[in-house]
Amino acid sequence: MQHDELLIGTMLEGMARWVAVRTTDTVEEARRRHGLSPVATAALGRLMTGTLILASSLKGDESITLRLLGDGPLEGVVAVGNAQGEVRGYVHEPLVDLPLKVSGKLDVGSAVGRGELAVSKSLQNGEVYTGVVPMVSGEIAEDLVQYLLTSEQIPSALLLGVRVEKDYHVVGAAGLLIQPLPGATEADIQAIENRIGQLGVGISELVAQSQSVDEMLELLMGPLPYHVLERRAVGFTCNCSKERLSDTLVSIGKKGIADLVSDEKAEMVCHFCNEHYQFTLEELLQLSEQAE
Ligand SMILES: [Zn+2]
């Protein structure tokens, strides 16, 4: 059976690096957990896929958070990922529905709108670096390319795609990042641009047709020579737990806890994965004592 996987490698005899990822199951799980509409699935799926690609160059337990703060009806899309291939995320308005574009594609740009893309890296030494760039189109791949160019001075080509069926299921989600390395010639860059221009079909179609990430990669690269250096499993993973939410409750204090109680119990929901946690009155009283 196929599974989601991220591959890292080089191409054009070491003149460029690439990261390719299949996220079909990851995006389907996000859709199912949050009950997302098709355009919300495409927006969150593209952002989660881009997050996994950017997170692949992090070390240890470092993490990266991408926030699209647009003026469109989704009212914000958030994804968090790490180098272990774990990603989670949500949209503020999961049920947004918009007419398809003339091309027949989901109108992610209108759903996200215009505004800012904020990228925060949480490093091993505890420091957090945040870069903010204006969004180019809200279509997400273009916005991330702009971020990489202006904040990190790295020219990149990036494809992100999510294909949603009429029954709302995700049948293909994937991403490909290509970055020329120092020493790459004009001809190398031209070869990459030509290849991407020639593709004709979207990356979500290619992954839906392929039996494996390797097959998708062959279809994407065509005649360009490439090497695979590393492969990692990826998936939707949230780090929430009742213990973590208990700590949050303690931190909001006695008054905050009292405000949450209704019918002698309380329910807390994790934004990132939509898991529901129940707290009984007895548990809340205990936490309230700890909060003092
Ligand atoms: Zn969670």
Side-chain angles (χ1 to χ4, degrees), residues 172-232:
L176 173 71
L177 172 77
I178 302 178
Q179 294 174 328
L181 292 170
T185 62
E186 252 336 288
D188 293 326
I189 293 166
Q190 197 60 52
I192 295 167
E193 284 175 1
N194 288 348
R195 182 62 205 152
I196 287 177
Q198 282 163 3
L199 279 176
V201 295
I203 190 170
S204 60
E205 309 292 320
L206 288 180
V207 71
Q209 288 166 17
S210 304
Q211 297 303 310
S212 64
V213 193
D214 300 79
E215 191 182 329
M216 175 187 84
L217 202 55
E218 272 176 41
L219 295 170
L220 284 166
M221 297 296 193
L224 300 181
Y226 65 93
H227 284 289
V228 177
L229 298 175
E230 217 185 309
R231 45 207 316 153
R232 302 171 187 172

Side-chain angles (χ1 to χ4, degrees), residues 33-34 88 236-241 245 269-277:
R33 282 184 170 272
H34 294 295
R88 58 190 193 272
F236 189 106
T237 310
C238 192
N239 59 358
C240 67
S241 64
L245 287 174
V269 180
C270 173
H271 280 307
F272 281 99
C273 67
N274 209 28
E275 197 72 47
H276 291 237
Y277 292 91

Side-chain angles (χ1 to χ4, degrees), residues 246 249-250 253-261 264-266 279-292:
S246 300
L249 281 172
V250 170
K254 224 176 160 117
K255 166 107 178 36
I257 294 174
D259 289 345
L260 282 172
V261 182
E264 307 206 325
K265 60 182 170 58
F279 288 86
T280 63
L281 183 60
E282 201 175 18
E283 288 170 324
L284 290 166
L285 286 172
Q286 271 177 11
L287 293 171
S288 189
E289 269 171 38
Q290 287 176 38
E292 274 183 314

